[in-house]
C-alpha cells in the first residue's frame, strides 16, 4: 500500500490503513492494521502494533514496543511510553468452552502521559493531562491531572498541565493554579485564617 500524502512510512513498517494524517511518521517494524485511524503529526516508533479498531488523535507519540488492541481511543497530544500495553478483554481464554470475547473500550483523554512499561486494562478512562508512572498497572479510571503509580495504580498526587507534580497548594511554579475541580485563571485566593 502506498502511504497517504505527507506521511512517512519506513521501508520496514507495515501500514495497512490509509486513514493517517499528514506529518505522521511510522517507523521500522511497526504494524498498523487496516481499520486503524491515526491523526496528523504523530510519531509511531519501532515495533509498535496497532489493531483495526483503534483511533489515535493528532500530535501523539507512541514509543517503541507499544501494543494497542481494538477499542482503544487516544485523544490529541498524548504520550505513550515504550513497552506500554493496552488490553481489551478482561476474561481471555483459549481453551473450550470459549465464548466470543467481549472487547471493552479504553479512552485516553487529551494531553495524558503514560510512562514506560505500563499495562492499561480495558473499560476505563485515563483523564486529561493525567500522568501514569512507569511500570504501573491501570485497572480503573484515572482522574484528570491525576498522578498515578503502582500495581494497581493509585493516585499519589496531582500534576500540572506542564507535567510537573503539584505541591499541596495546587499552585505550580509555571504559574498555573488549580482547585480540586480544575484549573483556575490566575492565582488561587490566599488561604483563610
Amino acid at each position: 500500500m502506498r502511504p497517504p500524502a505527507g506521511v512517512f512510512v519506513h521501508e520496514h513498517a507495515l501500514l495497512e490503513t490509509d486513514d493517517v494524517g499528514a506529518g505522521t511518521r511510522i517507523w521500522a517494524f511497526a504494524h498498523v492494521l487496516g481499520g486503524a485511524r491515526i491523526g496528523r503529526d504523530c510519531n509511531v516508533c519501532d515495533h509498535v502494533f496497532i489493531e483495526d479498531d483503534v483511533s489515535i488523535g493528532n500530535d501523539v507519540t507512541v514509543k517503541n514496543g507499544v501494543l494497542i488492541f481494538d477499542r482503544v481511543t487516544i485523544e490529541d497530544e498524548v504520550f505513550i511510553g515504550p513497552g506500554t500495553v493496552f488490553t481489551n478483554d478482561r476474561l481471555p481464554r483459549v481453551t473450550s468452552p470459549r465464548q466470543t470475547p467481549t472487547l471493552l473500550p479504553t479512552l485516553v483523554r487529551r494531553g495524558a502521559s503514560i510512562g514506560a512499561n505500563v499495562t492499561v486494562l480495558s473499560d476505563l478512562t485515563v483523564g486529561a493531562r493525567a500522568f501514569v508512572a512507569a511500570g504501573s498497572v491501570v485497572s480503573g479510571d484515572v482522574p484528570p491531572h491525576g498522578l498515578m503509580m503502582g500495581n494497581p495504580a493509585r493516585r499519589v498526587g496531582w500534576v500540572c498541565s506542564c507535567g510537573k507534580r503539584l505541591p499541596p497548594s495546587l499552585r505550580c511554579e509555571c504559574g498555573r493554579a488549580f482547585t480540586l475541580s480544575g484549573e483556575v485563571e490566575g492565582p488561587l485566593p490566599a488561604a483563610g485564617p
Side-chain angles (χ1 to χ4, degrees), residues 40-187:
R40 65 174 163 40
D41 299 317
C42 293
N43 192 29
V44 178
C45 296
D46 292 359
H47 297 280
V48 169
F49 177 75
I50 300 174
E51 213 164 23
D52 285 294
D53 188 14
V54 171
S55 178
I56 297 176
N58 301 318
D59 301 306
V60 173
T61 295
V62 182
K63 296 304 279 184
N64 299 34
V66 172
L67 306 175
I68 307 174
F69 295 103
D70 283 338
R71 308 237 19 231
V72 173
T73 300
I74 298 168
E75 293 184 346
D76 297 345
E77 301 170 1
V78 169
F79 175 87
I80 301 170
T84 293
V85 176
F86 289 87
T87 69
N88 62 4
D89 188 350
R90 289 228 175 178
L91 299 171
R93 291 280 189 236
V94 172
T95 59
S96 294
R98 171 71 167 138
Q99 298 180 14
T100 303
T102 302
L103 304 181
L104 301 170
T106 298
L107 173 61
V108 181
R109 303 303 302 244
R110 182 184 192 111
S113 292
I114 298 175
N117 295 312
V118 170
T119 299
V120 182
L121 301 181
S122 56
D123 199 24
L124 58 84
T125 297
V126 176
R129 307 268 183 226
F131 191 102
V132 180
S136 297
V137 176
V138 180
S139 58
D141 288 341
V142 173
H145 295 274
L147 173 59
M148 308 292 287
M149 67 175 56
N151 179 6
R154 288 184 167 60
R155 191 186 61 75
V156 297
W158 301 102
V159 292
C160 181
S161 297
C162 74
K164 294 179 183 163
R165 187 172 186 166
L166 290 168
S169 68
L170 302 180
R171 298 169 197 244
C172 185
E173 62 188 56
C174 77
R176 292 180 180 91
F178 296 82
T179 65
L180 290 179
S181 61
E183 188 170 356
V184 296
E185 294 294 325

